[in-house]
Amino acid sequence: MTRFDQETVLVGYPKAHLWVEAEGADDMDLFLLVQKLDAYGTPLQAFTVPNRNARVHDVTERGTSILRYKGSDGRLRVSMRHLDEKLSTEDVPAHSFDRVEKLSPGEVVEVEIDLLPLGLTFHPGEQLRLVVSSRSPLGTMMPGNRPYTTPHGGRHIVHTGGDRASYLQLPVKPA
């Protein structure tokens, strides 16, 4: 989590660079969400359409919907992590999806995950939180759909220090 001490504008594509390990499994599904929080840690959300009646509010509160923006998200099945060298850039990784690279027991691998573009202004005191999960923190895209259930078990480990420092790269607009 990061708390901003001055007005900061993010515009573009965030990217997560993670070092991960699957304990008790040979693959893992990763779901990421970048959230804007107020100064007290409450996630901020916005309706993307002007209709704010109670029924729309109820069906979008606990899950996701195209009607409510809750943050920039991304996902990757780790066995599909291979990057296309020609299409990838420093800011936006492009996966080739032409091979399956399962994990061996104890293997720690490097993955890059692109997230949907964002355009957010953070005022002093507001916060940014990165959520990394084995299931979508947004739920389903449309109310009434069943959420995705990963076929992979085990424990997901994200390494965060030393020569395996995971990070979130943000598109900060110069002042």
Side-chain angles (χ1 to χ4, degrees):
M1 192 148 18
T2 297
R3 184 179 299 273
F4 293 88
D5 57 2
Q6 63 185 17
E7 186 170 290
T8 304
V9 177
L10 304 180
V11 177
Y13 291 87
K15 174 180 83 171
H17 185 105
L18 306 176
W19 291 88
V20 298
E21 175 183 0
E23 187 177 274
D26 64 357
D27 207 349
M28 53 198 298
D29 292 329
L30 295 175
F31 295 85
L32 283 69
L33 177 64
V34 171
Q35 292 180 299
K36 180 178 178 178
L37 310 177
D38 68 14
Y40 304 102
T42 305
L44 299 174
Q45 309 171 30
F47 278 101
T48 58
V49 294
N51 185 350
R52 296 184 184 172
N53 70 43
R55 185 173 183 192
V56 171
H57 178 81
D58 288 347
V59 298
T60 62
E61 181 61 29
R62 293 199 175 20
T64 190
S65 169
I66 58 174
L67 305 176
R68 184 189 290 259
Y69 179 77
K70 294 184 178 183
S72 174
D73 68 308
R75 60 184 65 187
L76 180 69
R77 177 162 287 169
V78 172
S79 63
M80 304 300 286
R81 67 189 173 277
H82 184 264
L83 295 175
D84 183 316
E85 300 287 331
K86 293 180 183 174
L87 295 177
S88 292
T89 67
E90 181 61 33
D91 296 326
V92 182
H95 298 91
S96 64
F97 299 111
D98 63 351
R99 64 196 75 182
V100 175
E101 298 173 309
K102 296 286 188 173
L103 299 170
S104 302
E107 182 180 16
V108 179
V109 297
E110 183 178 18
V111 296
E112 289 193 356
I113 304 171
D114 56 317
L115 287 89
L116 291 175
L118 52 75
L120 294 172
T121 299
F122 288 84
H123 300 284
E126 292 181 332
Q127 304 169 69
L128 179 141
R129 173 171 58 194
L130 172 64
V131 177
V132 180
S133 181
S134 62
R135 57 190 157 110
S136 176
L138 293 176
T140 62
M141 280 308 255
M142 292 302 295
N145 289 350
R146 288 187 296 178
Y148 171 77
T149 304
T150 180
H152 314 294
R155 193 175 102 176
H156 293 36
I157 301 167
V158 178
H159 295 262
T160 59
D163 61 346
R164 293 180 175 158
S166 294
Y167 61 87
L168 176 65
Q169 179 176 301
L170 296 170
V172 178
K173 182 180 175 187

